Amino acid sequence: MRNKIFILGALLLTLAFSGCRDEADLQYNYSVNDNTLFAEAQNSFAGKYRVFWNAMNSNYGLWDYEKEFGLDWDEHYEQFLPKFEALDASTEAVTDSMLQALMNEMVAPLHDGHFAVTFINHQTQKPVMAIPSALRNATRDDITISERYKPNLTRFYYNGELKEYKEADTRFATLLAEMTKVKGRGLMWAEDRYNTLTQKEMPTQAEAMEMKGLKEFIDAMENFLDKGGSASDFNEIAQKYSYLNIPFLEPINVGFAKDGISVKYGLFNDNIAYFYLSDFNLIGHMDERAIKQSFPGATDFTYERIARVVDVWKSWFSTIQAFHKAGQLKGIILDLRGNGGGALTDEQYLLGGMLPAGGFQIGWTRLKRGVGRYDFSPMMPESVPTMEADHEIITDVPIVVLVNSGSVSMSEITALTAKNMPNARVIGKRTHGGLCGLTGNEFYTENYAGHIGVEGATPVFCYLPNQILFDNNKRPLESIGITPDFEVDLDTIAFKRDFTDTQLNRALQYVRTGN
């Protein structure tokens, strides 16, 4: 019995001091909702910080990079634990804004561009999130226009520059506007029908019931639009009042709220093919297996909207292929401004469709390979997927990738791909600075990295990448981003006035003149 007590005491002593060592003695699986592991974080701000610090100590993949920036993780513990303990000791309520301010200070030194941490404020029961890259990029001069950027080619159409144009949009907000026109076709029809029925002196029983249903529907839609409800909220209304046969009122697949995208194709004079992509989820619209995953229970309405996206992409890609084969393609412009990233597999439909099959190396990568801070895999080549089907190899005409500070993740990887192509250039503003690779929790025990906690379930949750990307010279790009070959500001005054697009104009100039 005495030996057992001694062993238990030694183990507890080991656990007590392991948090302040570079090397952890045990690997805890922070990617699951382990009540014991997260117990101290349930009702203590200091407990949340300790869980966060220990989990990051074993699972964060950029410690050597952070060290170059002067971050000492042990000093971080000594500096911030007392601040979180002070919140626990406070006799006043700890508001979300108070917690937010301290969390912002806590994450500010970190340089991973995808990283985000959420603490549940146990006093308010609300999640509070801190994102270091958002804090870092907030001071950039183009951040506001970059995040809200949406291309508008109207000016080019009216001045005769644009010969062909197509667009499609499967984002939920757009589909909702299309369905209701925010007091639009369906709602207006219901209001007109209701007003017509109220004019009847002696409505039938069926008409009276229809009036009651229409009034409920109108009130429900007014409330939905005022509060900005979710896809599920709208679908509940559409399903509940389907018996009224209101035109344009049918459920919108909930997948569009997460995986919907906007695409635009334009053919400029001199045969310059332009393509805009709002988010990287072409694969979710073009591959049948991916469609079923992204849009479960897809209806005819869902497939019809998906088909519009595919048609726009095919118009762009087939134009490129046909003109290049005929020796008539002047250039290509890929617009990724404001694109927040997404699926790596999309690259096969974009620059990967201009390159030979078999993948294209854009740099180097490594993975987290142990619970120690500096346990990393060897450097490994990092490639993007290229199109396997027969296609034109286009390395002899100018290609431009347009980016800004709102271009994140896969947008940056695409820009890096362009940097490695002999005929491609990047134009616009420096990108966001988030190129680390992401995985799901299923790879946690393989890579010793992944999410910390379970979103919405554990008091601490971190969106945590498992690998870092380096350029071909093995230099890290995290927090730095991709620097354009030609840095060009978007003249926001001119853009708001008449959609004059100084960055797109510069891209057209480069394609036509080579400078």
Side-chain angles (χ1 to χ4, degrees), residues 227-249:
K227 293 185 177 180
S230 67
S232 298
D233 295 332
F234 176 80
N235 289 344
E236 186 177 332
I237 294 172
Q239 189 171 25
K240 182 176 181 179
Y241 298 101
S242 59
Y243 71 92
L244 294 171
N245 296 316
I246 299 170
F248 316 111
L249 184 71

Side-chain angles (χ1 to χ4, degrees), residues 329-349:
L329 182 65
K330 182 69 174 178
I332 299 166
I333 298 174
L334 180 58
D335 193 345
L336 300 179
R337 290 174 289 178
N339 185 314
L344 177 65
T345 47
D346 270 15
E347 198 64 84
Q348 64 187 306
Y349 304 119

Side-chain angles (χ1 to χ4, degrees), residues 61-62 64-66 68-69 111 363-366 379 416 433-436 467-483:
L62 280 73
D64 55 342
Y65 190 45
E66 299 294 5
E68 291 182 17
F69 281 98
H111 288 81
W364 297 82
T365 190
R366 71 167 191 220
M379 287 277 195
L416 182 59
L435 293 92
C436 279
Q467 65 185 101
I468 183 170
L469 182 64
F470 303 82
D471 65 16
N472 271 322
N473 294 314
K474 298 186 178 179
R475 293 175 304 203
L477 298 164
E478 206 64 16
S479 80
I480 298 169
I482 306 300
T483 301

